[in-house]
């Protein structure tokens, strides 16, 4: 048996064992799977709601800072608008 065919057999064996392991992991009967799924869905919805609120608040603050910078053109107002934009980004 030459080196290339031996290496090929090792790779085939590796992928076979990997696929069997993944198949066994996906076939578990977990009674908590539904409640775990519900919990993770609630966590995701709470995260998105918090992120949307934070983005909205930062957008309002950035808009106000930009308006002040455009109305009262000074170094301080430009710095304030730049910081608000950095927080938004």
């Amino acid at each position: 048996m030459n080196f290339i065919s031996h290496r090929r057999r090792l790779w085939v064996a590796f992928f076979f064992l990997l696929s069997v392991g993944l198949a066994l992991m996906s076939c578990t009967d977990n009674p908590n799977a539904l409640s775990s799924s519900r919990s993770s869905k609630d966590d995701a919805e709470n995260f998105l709601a918090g992120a949307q609120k934070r983005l909205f608040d930062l957008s309002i603050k950035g808009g106000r800072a930009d308006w002040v910078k455009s109305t009262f053109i000074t170094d301080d107002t430009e710095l304030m608008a730049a910081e608000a934009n950095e927080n938004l980004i």
Side-chain angles (χ1 to χ4, degrees):
M1 176 181 340
N2 64 13
F3 178 73
I4 293 175
S5 65
H6 181 65
R7 204 165 108 187
R8 186 176 298 151
R9 285 184 183 183
L10 284 175
W11 277 107
V12 169
F14 170 75
F15 284 118
F16 175 75
L17 290 175
L18 180 66
S19 62
V20 168
L22 290 174
L24 289 175
M25 287 173 42
S26 67
C27 294
T28 59
D29 293 329
N30 187 357
N32 296 326
L34 184 59
S35 64
S36 173
S37 175
R38 170 57 63 182
S39 175
S40 62
K41 181 181 177 187
D42 291 341
D43 290 343
E45 288 176 351
N46 290 337
F47 172 78
L48 287 176
Q52 286 175 340
K53 182 183 180 327
R54 184 166 183 246
L55 182 61
F56 180 75
D57 292 342
L58 290 173
S59 296
I60 297 285
K61 290 178 182 177
R64 288 178 180 165
D66 192 45
W67 181 85
V68 170
K69 176 197 72 146
S70 298
T71 307
F72 304 104
I73 303 171
T74 65
D75 291 337
D76 291 334
T77 58
E78 287 182 359
L79 179 64
M80 182 179 67
E83 288 175 353
N85 190 35
E86 184 176 327
N87 287 336
L88 179 59
I89 291 172

